[in-house]
Amino acid sequence: MIASPESKCQEPPASSHCVYFYEDADLLVDEVARYLGAALTRGHTGIVIARDSFRSRLSLELNLKHRLAEPVANQYGTLIALDAQETLDKFMVAGWPHQGKFDRVVGDLVKRCISRGEEIAAYGEMVGLLCEQGQFDAAVRLEKLWNDLLGKRRFSLICGYPAGLFTSPAGRASYKHLCDAHHKVFQV
């Protein structure tokens, strides 16, 4: 089920997992900047696991619209920005997300932030990278690991996928599973 445009992904402290299938990366950057900007200005922590190009555009957008820039600290919350491929490489084993390593890399980061009393708004495109690499089953598995983490920790998460990835037979076959792994599905 695709959510209506006015029904956006919840902000912290609600535990939610949303996905944005996007055709226009500028619209996605705008949505993520709005989501993270609202969280950061309320003193929450933002975690971004994305490519350098996305992180750069997001930083510019946060600075322009919310007067926030990377790294964000002081009267605002803190923005933690990680490279998507480097983070994936830390927990992938033979092309498959390893749960224990994911828990140590991503789970421990979330746990540390929450243990300091911080509420978290996260954005990630690791799953999108896996799909770009033709690893659709690994992307579905990574979404399950995120959901397992959401079951243990209270935070909100947005995932981003380029919509054009789902035209191949493997992409079409995985699309429903990826949608089912999220509370809300958006197309921008």
Side-chain angles (χ1 to χ4, degrees):
M1 170 177 89
I2 297 175
S4 64
E6 64 277 356
S7 170
K8 298 300 179 194
C9 195
Q10 293 179 357
E11 298 167 4
S15 207
S16 63
H17 187 187
C18 301
V19 62
Y20 283 76
F21 293 99
Y22 63 93
E23 306 229 0
D24 184 341
D26 289 334
L27 292 175
L28 178 66
V29 168
D30 188 57
E31 287 295 322
V32 174
R34 184 177 304 120
Y35 161 73
L36 289 173
L40 292 168
T41 56
R42 291 193 328 266
H44 300 314
T45 296
I47 298 174
V48 176
I49 306 174
R51 293 173 242 240
D52 184 54
S53 59
F54 186 90
R55 292 189 325 269
S56 296
R57 291 167 64 193
L58 179 63
S59 179
L60 179 62
E61 193 70 17
L62 286 169
N63 190 33
L64 290 172
K65 291 196 174 168
H66 299 279
R67 298 191 196 297
L68 302 171
E70 184 181 355
V72 177
N74 57 38
Q75 76 266 32
Y76 300 111
T78 302
L79 180 62
I80 300 166
L82 305 172
D83 182 80
Q85 189 61 58
E86 288 175 10
T87 305
L88 266 174
D89 291 344
K90 291 177 181 176
F91 63 79
M92 295 292 288
V93 176
W96 194 250
H98 184 278
Q99 182 165 1
K101 290 184 178 200
F102 175 84
D103 289 342
R104 282 188 294 283
V105 172
V106 178
D108 286 353
L109 171 62
V110 169
K111 182 180 177 181
R112 278 191 311 274
C113 293
I114 290 173
S115 70
R116 294 189 303 248
E118 301 169 17
E119 295 176 2
I120 300 171
Y123 168 76
E125 57 183 26
M126 294 184 294
V127 287
L129 280 177
L130 288 172
C131 288
E132 285 178 13
Q133 297 163 3
Q135 297 177 292
F136 292 98
D137 290 341
V140 172
R141 171 68 177 151
L142 182 51
E143 293 291 12
K144 182 189 179 319
L145 295 179
W146 276 114
N147 283 331
D148 291 348
L149 183 57
L150 278 160
K152 298 173 197 168
R153 307 278 179 228
R154 189 171 169 87
F155 66 101
S156 66
L157 170 66
I158 293 177
C159 299
Y161 288 90
L165 296 175
F166 302 96
T167 57
S168 70
R172 285 191 302 273
S174 297
Y175 181 79
K176 181 182 179 339
H177 297 293
L178 292 168
C179 289
D180 289 346
H182 296 87
H183 299 123
K184 290 185 183 177
V185 176
F186 301 98
Q187 298 207 358
V188 293

